Amino acid sequence: MNKILEIKQLSFSYGKSIVIDDISFDIRDASIVGILGPNGAGKSTLINLLSGTNAPDAGSILIDGDDLKSIPYRTLAKRVAVVPQMSSSPFAFTSLEIVLMGRTPYISPYGFESKDDIDIAIDAMKKTDCYEFASRNIDELSGGERQRVLLARALAQNPRILMLDEPTTFLDIKHISALKNTLLKLNHDGGLTIICALHDLNIASSICDHIILLKDGSIEAAGTPDEVISRPIIERVFDTSVHIEKDPTTGQPYFLI
Amino acid sequence: MIFAMSTGSESINMFDAITGHSEKAHAILFSARLPRVLLAALVGMALATSGGAFQALLRNPLADPFILGVSGGAALGSVLAVGFRLHFIWISLLAFVGATIAMLCIFWIAKGRGRFRSTELLLTGVIFNAFCFALILFINAMVTMEEAYQILFLLIGNLEETGLGMVGIVAFFVLTGFTILTLLARRMNLLLLSDNEAKSLGINIDKLRIIVFCSASLMVGAAVAASGLIGFVGLFIPHIVRLIFGADHRILIPASGLLGAAFLILADTGARTVLMNTQYATQLPVGVITALIGAPLFMILLKRRNIM
Ligand SMILES: Nc1ncnc2c1ncn2[C@@H]1O[C@H](COP(=O)(O)OP(=O)(O)O)[C@@H](O)[C@H]1O
Ligand SMILES: [Mg+2]
């Protein structure tokens, strides 16, 4: 299997506090990888490093064999798209304007969006079920609606790798289920590699091929959901007692507090 | 514009003036009115465009062209010229030098913390401004009454004492800045997102901020050098444009420039004519008019719609 990302001895600190501590792992092309761990484990920081928005203090990240450091922002934005946890702006853009920003790396620096760009943006909005808010201001949307707009913006970038930072935080169960289906479909039909920071073990176990369990900036466990979501590992990492069952129909592990 | 040129404390007949039928009208038109109206347009454009740019740069709806210390530097330069009793050409020259030095200082200090971020920039600018104005008050305390009055006039902002040469120089900076900002307008939209988002959408945000900061600062420097601190234009014109056309900078930047130009021509025409038939028979500094119109208008806007 092809590796789309190779992470070698990556470290990052904010001032003196080390947040990512010498971690290495590979991500297979067209896989869905969950980054899990308690609050403050370093999930968001790792997403920032992998997406190139923060530079590591040490170590390297290779995308398709190219060193991330040497890829210009514009080129990188065609390969990697990020759905941030939050997005706010002091002046309101409409949802469609926000999604069209996803076309930035494809539009010449001084140019305007073409008809194609607009079609791609609208298509992305339909895929994430937010086209109905196209002309509404982003600051008038609920957290979950806004998240779908941000996912559409990421899809408009037409990336090879999609990274999401706790995308289920603001979603109700209907939209969590819709998001899971959208991600599975993008992965299955488009071969999109998906890296998703999550704190919900059940969601992770139902969509991920591979799980990386972080604690205090180090990898505590990595592997398939079956391997990682076991009672001793989870209790150690999350520091609380849990109860784990197997879903009788799918065989996926799920847990109860 | 034609209306603005024909009105003033001495009203003139356009036709007579252009054809040279009336020598007095001709002289007034070309040596006083034309440069003044052109300058009003350029200064209005500079202030409104740079105001919009600073609001994006600082992600702050209350930013105006004078918030970032560039104005403080420029004002200090011109006040120094008054303080040392230099020829009046020096007032503009030193103002522009002051603005440029201020720009470089702010840039250098804000950049010192590694990345060129909104908060650093805002803090540095505001503190730099406070320092400049303290120095200005210091100088103000040491000059004669008449010079102190001249300083007050500079600080309120006015468009008097203009030649076509001055207009040419101001035009160069303002039109260059305006063109650069208009070309960057699409990318400026992304300045309003978080740094991480802008980067992951393929924007080199540090570089973009630096270019926007420098272009807008040079426009402000030229405007303050030519006309002092004319308030409110740069604050509320971009907001009005935003209310009408939305937040997209591709419309916001050029439309603010044009509306700013039109507004300041009108305000200046008002400044020249309001008191002309009264017992005072004088011209008001245009800064008084813009503040008198701008402040209440801005408060109404704030109250009517949440622009924050
Ligand atoms: N900008 C920052 N400056 C300093 N420390 C930070 C910053 N962002 C995050 N941290 C710290 O880094 C650690 C990891 O944070 P984060 O990656 O956001 O965790 P997670 O996303 O897993 O909850 C936390 O201890 C947090 O306090
Ligand atoms: Mg996080």
Side-chain angles (χ1 to χ4, degrees):
Chain A
M1 273 294 196
N2 276 341
K3 295 179 226 165
I4 194 165
L5 274 178
E6 291 168 69
I7 291 95
K8 290 180 191 149
Q9 293 169 340
L10 200 66
S11 294
F12 181 84
S13 48
Y14 285 111
K16 282 209 178 79
S17 72
I18 296 169
V19 178
I20 296 293
D21 191 6
D22 192 25
I23 66 177
S24 304
F25 58 93
D26 294 338
I27 287 178
R28 272 190 294 113
D29 194 12
S31 59
I32 303 185
V33 177
I35 299 175
L36 276 87
N39 294 331
K43 303 182 292 293
S44 300
T45 309
L46 185 58
I47 294 274
N48 286 343
L49 293 172
L50 296 184
S51 62
T53 50
N54 282 358
D57 298 334
S60 64
I61 299 165
L62 304 184
I63 292 193
D64 276 330
D66 301 328
D67 191 343
L68 192 78
K69 280 199 297 276
S70 65
I71 307 176
Y73 285 125
R74 213 176 139 77
T75 318
L76 190 60
K78 295 180 191 173
R79 293 203 210 170
V80 178
V82 184
V83 179
Q85 203 165 5
M86 278 180 291
S87 172
S88 69
S89 160
F91 305 112
F93 291 102
T94 65
S95 306
L96 182 60
E97 283 171 331
I98 293 279
V99 176
L100 275 170
M101 288 181 187
R103 298 303 295 165
T104 304
Y106 297 94
I107 305 171
S108 88
Y110 308 107
F112 275 74
E113 298 96 355
S114 65
K115 177 87 175 55
D116 279 351
D117 293 316
I118 294 172
D119 289 343
I120 291 171
I122 290 174
D123 195 44
M125 294 186 89
K126 285 182 176 155
K127 269 188 199 155
T128 65
D129 189 23
C130 65
Y131 184 56
E132 59 193 292
F133 332 121
S135 59
R136 279 182 48 200
N137 277 349
I138 186 92
D139 66 348
E140 293 164 6
L141 301 181
S142 78
E145 291 166 342
R146 204 177 292 195
Q147 200 123 30
R148 272 136 62 201
V149 173
L150 296 179
L151 178 59
R153 182 179 75 191
L155 295 184
Q157 282 174 256
N158 197 16
R160 301 237 359 246
I161 308 177
L162 177 67
M163 301 187 191
L164 305 99
D165 194 354
E166 310 223 12
T168 56
T169 314
F170 298 108
L171 300 185
D172 59 28
I173 45 174
K174 173 185 161 196
H175 283 102
I176 290 181
S177 155
L179 176 73
K180 287 201 305 199
N181 290 333
T182 310
L183 293 183
L184 287 169
K185 193 161 162 4
L186 287 166
N187 172 257
H188 192 263
D189 301 349
L192 189 67
T193 306
I194 297 173
I195 302 173
C196 197
L198 288 167
H199 60 249
D200 188 320
L201 296 164
N202 289 333
I203 297 172
S205 112
S206 67
I207 60 169
C208 295
D209 306 319
H210 193 83
I211 286 178
I212 293 168
L213 203 52
L214 278 185
K215 186 180 188 185
D216 297 334
S218 300
I219 298 180
E220 284 286 319
T224 62
D226 255 339
E227 292 162 358
V228 173
I229 302 185
S230 72
R231 198 165 151 202
I233 297 178
I234 298 302
E235 288 190 342
R236 188 178 76 233
V237 170
F238 284 87
D239 204 15
T240 181
S241 59
V242 295
H243 186 71
I244 295 183
E245 301 270 349
K246 285 245 189 250
D247 184 318
T249 49
T250 61
Q252 289 161 341
Y254 69 93
F255 86 113
L256 304 162
I257 298 173
Chain B
M1 221 174 138
I2 289 176
F3 165 74
M5 279 196 280
S6 55
T7 345
S9 26
E10 190 106 23
S11 82
I12 53 175
N13 180 318
M14 255 316 167
F15 185 71
D16 283 355
I18 292 172
T19 53
H21 269 170
S22 150
E23 216 144 275
K24 185 175 168 205
H26 186 82
I28 292 180
L29 176 65
F30 284 98
S31 67
R33 297 280 160 73
L34 180 65
R36 184 157 172 172
V37 169
L38 284 179
L39 190 68
L42 288 169
V43 169
M45 173 182 267
L47 295 177
T49 315
S50 58
F54 281 146
Q55 286 164 6
L57 191 64
L58 300 174
R59 287 195 201 114
N60 188 335
L62 289 178
D64 81 347
F66 303 147
I67 203 164
L68 275 190
V70 174
S71 57
L76 183 59
S78 51
V79 168
L80 274 177
V82 175
F84 286 111
R85 305 190 174 88
L86 299 174
H87 186 260
F88 110 93
I89 278 294
W90 282 94
I91 297 182
S92 302
L93 207 61
L94 279 188
F96 193 71
V97 171
T100 316
I101 294 176
M103 179 181 94
L104 295 176
C105 280
I106 294 161
F107 180 74
W108 179 69
I109 299 170
K111 183 92 184 148
R113 297 257 325 258
R115 285 167 57 196
F116 197 65
R117 272 186 297 206
S118 316
T119 10
E120 268 92 0
L121 201 56
L122 183 63
L123 273 177
T124 319
V126 167
I127 290 168
F128 195 89
N129 244 352
F131 183 72
C132 287
F133 282 105
L135 282 180
I136 288 174
L137 290 180
F138 188 76
I139 296 171
N140 202 23
M142 299 192 306
V143 296
T144 64
M145 273 311 268
E146 197 181 321
E147 283 159 354
Y149 180 73
Q150 204 181 345
I151 289 177
L152 177 69
F153 231 65
L154 279 174
L155 294 184
I156 298 174
N158 70 88
L159 287 158
E160 281 154 43
E161 298 166 354
T162 320
L164 274 176
M166 177 71 158
V167 172
I169 299 170
V170 174
F172 170 76
F173 285 104
V174 173
L175 295 178
T176 309
F178 183 71
T179 311
I180 294 177
L181 290 177
T182 304
L183 286 177
L184 292 178
R186 190 170 54 77
R187 278 178 284 175
M188 280 169 69
N189 286 341
L190 285 97
L191 282 178
L192 295 179
L193 307 176
S194 72
D195 283 18
N196 283 353
E197 283 178 278
K199 280 188 194 167
S200 70
L201 289 168
I203 297 282
N204 186 337
I205 189 125
D206 290 340
K207 195 167 127 198
L208 180 61
R209 281 219 183 95
I210 291 169
I211 302 176
V212 170
F213 172 68
C214 293
S215 316
S217 296
L218 289 177
M219 290 175 94
V220 177
V224 176
S227 62
L229 302 176
I230 298 177
F232 281 97
V233 181
L235 180 64
F236 81 89
I237 296 281
H239 282 295
I240 290 178
V241 175
R242 228 177 253 120
L243 285 180
I244 303 171
F245 297 109
D248 189 340
H249 286 82
R250 283 174 293 189
I251 297 167
L252 181 69
I253 292 292
S256 293
L258 297 181
L259 190 61
F263 175 74
L264 204 58
I265 292 175
L266 282 180
D268 184 50
T269 309
R272 280 185 282 138
T273 47
V274 165
L275 291 183
M276 93 187 164
N277 291 327
T278 66
Q279 49 171 323
Y280 307 105
T282 176
Q283 300 193 350
L284 277 174
V286 68
V288 172
I289 302 277
T290 59
L292 282 179
I293 300 175
L297 201 61
F298 192 65
M299 279 190 261
I300 292 169
L301 284 181
L302 263 178
K303 189 141 180 59
R304 287 223 4 231
R305 206 173 129 164
N306 194 4
I307 55 175
M308 304 285 275

